[in-house]
Amino acid sequence: MEVQALAKLNLTLDVLGKRPDGYHDLRMVMQSITLSDTLELADNAGEGLRVESSLHFLPAGEKNLAGKAAVCFYQALGRDVRSLDIRLTKRIPVCAGMAGGSSDAAAVLRGLNELEGNPFTPTELARIGERVGSDVPYCVIGGTALAEGRGEILTPLPALPPCWVVACKPDFPVSTPELFGRIDSCRIRCRPDTEGMLAALESGNLGAVARRMYNVFEDALPDRQRTSMAEIKNVLIQCGALGANMSGSGPTAFGLFDEEEAARQAAQLLGQSYRETFLARTV
Ligand code: C5P
């Protein structure tokens, strides 16, 4: 079986506070895009669980979120993984804030559920996904959604009016736990207008959505990285993006475009400086 795993973007990301369990309460508006990984799920004649990726530095077996998802799925069915090969063809950039690993995990859950005759409802699958990672429940459902709590409390939202997306990942690495640590040690001065974003989605106004995009992690980046993020966003806006934002804990910046030609030109321009630049559509 072949399954597609879609990348996600954060239209907004707010960190409300640290919780006793060490996680943070979040409030985020999420959006799926056409940039995707492809997964092949196949029987391997009783060889147990094997995970293979087109990117050889990614972990194999249960250490890969796709493998962990398979283990959690069969645990929920009350048995071990007896015979499953997972082959990943990666296109979503890794450690980019686009939920590549979480989306692969969600695709495994959806695929296995279908192969096993749909023992779980989508809501039950999302609950299984919670054990794999905070972004996995959203990736099970996808589309336009509000994610709260650790990321697992989901409210579907009116779909974002269809548009073009240019996503660009600069080369510097970010550590999600480290960025959460930086957020804890400073006062958040500016927050997204999440209510305004929900109203803009309700009215189907793409320009109003794009203008309200905001991510508190951007302010918590070290100076040089924040400057680099601002530069990419500037290029996107100058090329005609209606708005630009950082996704997740970064370092991917993206812009929303209502015109294909402007989006293509932005992708071409940024692609000259940043190898990992992608043109996509919203889903
Ligand atoms: O759940 P997941 O394994 O994807 O989270 C990775 C890390 O991100 C956690 O170990 C934690 O440091 C941080 N995190 C958090 N609050 C969340 C989600 C993630 O602090 N709601």
Side-chain angles (χ1 to χ4, degrees):
M1 169 187 267
E2 201 175 279
V3 206
Q4 297 300 321
L6 304 184
K8 69 93 182 151
L9 297 173
N10 284 89
L11 302 183
T12 63
L13 193 160
D14 200 0
V15 180
L16 304 182
K18 194 166 181 181
R19 311 169 7 154
D21 64 4
Y23 282 91
H24 292 75
D25 275 319
L26 307 176
R27 197 155 192 242
M28 321 182 269
V29 176
M30 318 277 253
Q31 175 63 47
S32 305
I33 59 170
T34 51
L35 175 63
S36 66
D37 293 341
T38 304
L39 288 87
E40 280 172 65
L41 308 180
D43 189 289
N44 64 17
E47 294 287 326
L49 170 66
R50 293 189 303 210
V51 181
E52 200 187 280
S53 168
S54 59
L55 294 177
H56 299 295
F57 59 84
L58 289 182
E62 277 182 55
K63 290 210 178 92
N64 191 299
L65 286 189
K68 190 173 170 192
V71 170
C72 290
F73 178 88
Y74 282 107
Q75 258 170 13
L77 276 185
R79 53 186 233 233
D80 292 332
V81 190
R82 293 177 199 140
S83 188
L84 179 66
D85 274 354
I86 302 174
R87 278 186 291 271
L88 291 168
T89 305
K90 294 291 298 176
R91 292 181 210 91
I92 306 172
V94 175
C95 296
M98 299 174 90
S102 302
S103 190
D104 294 345
V108 167
L109 294 177
R110 279 189 269 106
L112 290 179
N113 201 42
E114 199 180 321
L115 285 174
E116 296 292 345
N118 294 309
F120 302 114
T121 64
T123 308
E124 287 167 340
L125 269 194
R127 290 290 80 84
I128 298 170
E130 248 178 86
R131 294 172 34 216
V132 184
S134 302
D135 277 345
V136 179
Y138 162 73
C139 292
V140 169
I141 312 286
T144 310
L146 177 69
E148 295 173 287
R150 242 181 79 196
E152 84 287 17
I153 305 171
L154 297 169
T155 311
L157 297 173
L160 179 69
C163 64
W164 293 87
V165 174
V166 176
C168 172
K169 179 186 172 257
D171 266 339
F172 60 80
V174 292
S175 152
T176 304
E178 204 177 295
L179 260 191
F180 273 112
R182 290 175 74 96
I183 286 261
D184 292 338
S185 62
C186 66
R187 231 188 75 229
I188 300 177
R189 279 170 298 178
C190 221
R191 292 181 181 276
D193 172 14
T194 310
E195 294 310 317
M197 175 61 83
L198 299 183
L201 285 167
E202 194 65 50
S203 64
N205 184 336
L206 181 62
V209 167
R211 279 194 299 279
R212 282 170 179 78
M213 296 198 296
Y214 195 81
N215 180 344
V216 295
F217 276 132
E218 208 180 309
D219 273 341
L221 287 174
D223 285 347
R224 273 186 50 199
Q225 300 182 355
R226 204 173 55 236
T227 306
S228 166
M229 196 54 48
E231 279 167 10
I232 298 173
K233 284 174 34 174
N234 264 336
V235 174
L236 288 163
I237 297 290
Q238 266 158 29
C239 287
L242 302 172
N245 197 27
M246 184 173 89
S247 188
S249 53
T252 301
F254 68 94
L256 300 184
F257 293 79
D258 54 0
E259 283 179 22
E260 176 178 359
E261 191 46 38
R264 283 195 187 279
Q265 278 177 15
Q268 213 232 343
L269 185 62
L270 283 167
Q272 290 167 11
S273 308
Y274 303 96
R275 198 172 38 89
E276 293 186 282
T277 300
F278 306 90
L279 179 66
R281 306 243 332 138
T282 52
V283 175

